[in-house]
Amino acid sequence: TLACALVCRAWLHPSILHLYQDIVIGTTKAYRTLVSRILHCDTPRSHLSATTSFQLSNHRIPYEHRRRNFDATSRLFVCDFAGHLDRLQVLSLTGLNWTRQHVPRPTEPLLLASFKSITTLKFKDCVFPSFHYIRRAISALPKLTDLRLHRVSWANQHQRADSQAFSHTSR
């Protein structure tokens, strides 16, 4: 896709839109680069409106680095990208722990409501502060039709939601 952007001026815009359609972030460095070079620059930021799928996953990072850095960065995703991903339909979060770094605010899960177009939400190997936290995050998405939970747990109980996947139909 990047090579298509270099063919000619007429191919530039369609290839850039295709390039930004699916974003996959796997490291803290990649996340920070996306924020500094795309989100904080006017022209590239406008291309984020083409994004329909965003995956934030730290499974490629060694565990000792994953705990300290990526979790803190991933918590900022909702704040950083609110209002910039207008067409986001699929949000996939893998291997994230929301219980570390700081005590979550009660309104924090409601920030997902800024992504009004999400229809599919995937949590895999995630730890939340409480079941109430995840319930509020899910209920904040008005168009959610597909919810996939895989090895999701919450810190205040020793229970897990081990179901492979299940669907939730919006009201």
Side-chain angles (χ1 to χ4, degrees):
T1 305
L2 189 55
C4 292
L6 300 174
V7 171
C8 68
R9 187 173 291 253
W11 285 37
L12 180 62
H13 185 69
S15 58
I16 285 177
L17 293 180
H18 186 69
L19 183 65
Y20 283 88
Q21 188 172 9
D22 299 313
I23 297 177
V24 178
I25 300 295
T27 65
T28 300
K29 183 178 179 181
Y31 182 83
R32 290 182 181 153
T33 301
L34 178 69
V35 170
S36 66
R37 294 189 182 163
I38 305 299
L39 194 60
H40 292 161
C41 298
D42 291 338
T43 302
R45 183 177 55 230
S46 66
H47 301 309
L48 288 174
S49 64
T51 303
T52 58
S53 174
F54 197 103
Q55 180 181 350
L56 195 56
S57 173
N58 70 355
H59 274 305
R60 297 182 190 144
I61 303 171
Y63 184 73
E64 60 274 6
H65 300 294
R66 190 187 310 170
R67 293 185 337 193
R68 282 190 312 234
N69 300 324
F70 200 73
D71 292 336
T73 302
S74 66
R75 293 180 70 108
L76 298 175
F77 165 77
V78 177
C79 297
D80 288 340
F81 288 91
H84 298 293
L85 300 173
D86 301 331
R87 294 182 50 219
L88 185 65
Q89 295 174 1
V90 178
L91 178 60
S92 179
L93 305 173
T94 304
L96 305 179
N97 187 336
W98 273 270
T99 62
R100 294 194 176 109
Q101 302 296 328
H102 75 282
V103 177
R105 297 183 179 128
T107 58
E108 192 172 329
L110 299 177
L111 292 174
L112 270 178
S114 62
F115 302 97
K116 296 178 187 336
S117 59
I118 291 179
T119 58
T120 302
L121 182 61
K122 301 175 186 178
F123 291 124
K124 182 177 180 183
D125 298 322
C126 292
V127 179
F128 293 93
S130 67
F131 176 75
H132 181 67
Y133 186 93
I134 189 172
R135 184 188 60 78
R136 289 189 74 189
I138 292 166
S139 65
L141 298 169
K143 292 186 178 180
L144 186 66
T145 57
D146 187 16
L147 174 64
R148 297 171 190 230
L149 302 176
H150 188 69
R151 292 192 306 258
V152 172
S153 61
W154 36 94
N156 66 350
Q157 295 188 12
H158 298 292
Q159 301 171 351
R160 290 178 87 101
D162 286 325
S163 60
Q164 292 294 323
F166 67 92
S167 293
H168 164 79
T169 304
S170 62
R171 305 181 240 338

